[in-house]
């Protein structure tokens, strides 16, 4: 019954901003979970964009450093990705992922939300 639901994607112009959200259900003690955002563009492998381990600090792929900000609200069981200064190369389906900090494996995935950056 664990589910992750992403929202907030859409079509934006280069230089624009979006905020993605991922809300978890079926999980208690969300603060103990590691969380991450991935993205996948057509014809490309899924790429890790940003993550926060339980009790940790944000980490970012080099391609988004200085532009994206990952954050979490454990009370709301929600993960966010604030995206600024968007570029066409950011166009992809964005997925959230979470797993218990002390559990190995793939964890849980959302269905994804599409971000398209185009003029």
């Amino acid at each position: 019954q664990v589910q992750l639901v992403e929202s907030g994607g859409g079509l934006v112009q280069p230089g624009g901003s979006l905020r993605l959200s991922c809300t978890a259900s079926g999980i208690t003690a969300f603060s103990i979970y590691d969380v991450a955002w991935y993205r996948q563009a057509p014809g490309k492998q899924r790429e890790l964009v940003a993550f926060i381990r339980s009790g940790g600090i944000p980490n970012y792929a080099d391609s988004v450093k200085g532009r994206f900000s990952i954050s979490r609200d454990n009370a709301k069981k929600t993960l966010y990705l604030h995206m600024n200064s968007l570029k066409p190369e950011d166009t992809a389906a964005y997925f959230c992922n979470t797993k218990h900090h002390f559990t190995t494996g793939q964890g849980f995935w959302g269905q994804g939300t599409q971000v398209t950056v185009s003029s």
Side-chain angles (χ1 to χ4, degrees):
Q1 63 179 323
V2 175
Q3 286 190 305
L4 302 176
V5 179
E6 301 98 335
S7 63
L11 174 64
V12 298
Q13 294 184 323
S17 300
L18 283 174
R19 186 185 75 165
L20 307 184
S21 299
C22 171
T23 299
S25 62
I27 295 176
T28 58
F30 188 65
S31 63
I32 305 176
Y33 283 70
D34 302 333
V35 294
W37 284 100
Y38 290 77
R39 67 186 181 187
Q40 187 167 24
K44 294 183 178 292
Q45 296 293 315
R46 189 165 295 186
E47 173 191 21
L48 177 62
V49 176
F51 69 93
I52 311 175
R53 298 190 185 278
S54 175
I57 60 174
N59 296 268
Y60 302 94
D62 288 341
S63 60
V64 306
K65 284 182 179 177
R67 299 189 298 119
F68 290 12
S69 178
I70 186 172
S71 61
R72 62 191 297 172
D73 186 330
N74 291 324
K76 296 181 178 179
K77 300 180 181 180
T78 299
L79 175 67
Y80 301 99
L81 185 67
H82 292 81
M83 305 184 295
N84 302 308
S85 302
L86 283 162
K87 306 174 180 179
E89 63 204 65
D90 296 317
T91 295
Y94 284 72
F95 301 85
C96 62
N97 172 272
T98 187
K99 70 175 184 68
H100 194 280
H101 184 67
F102 297 107
T103 298
T104 60
Q106 299 303 307
F108 304 99
W109 292 92
Q111 296 298 306
T113 185
Q114 179 67 37
V115 172
T116 301
V117 185
S118 176
S119 298

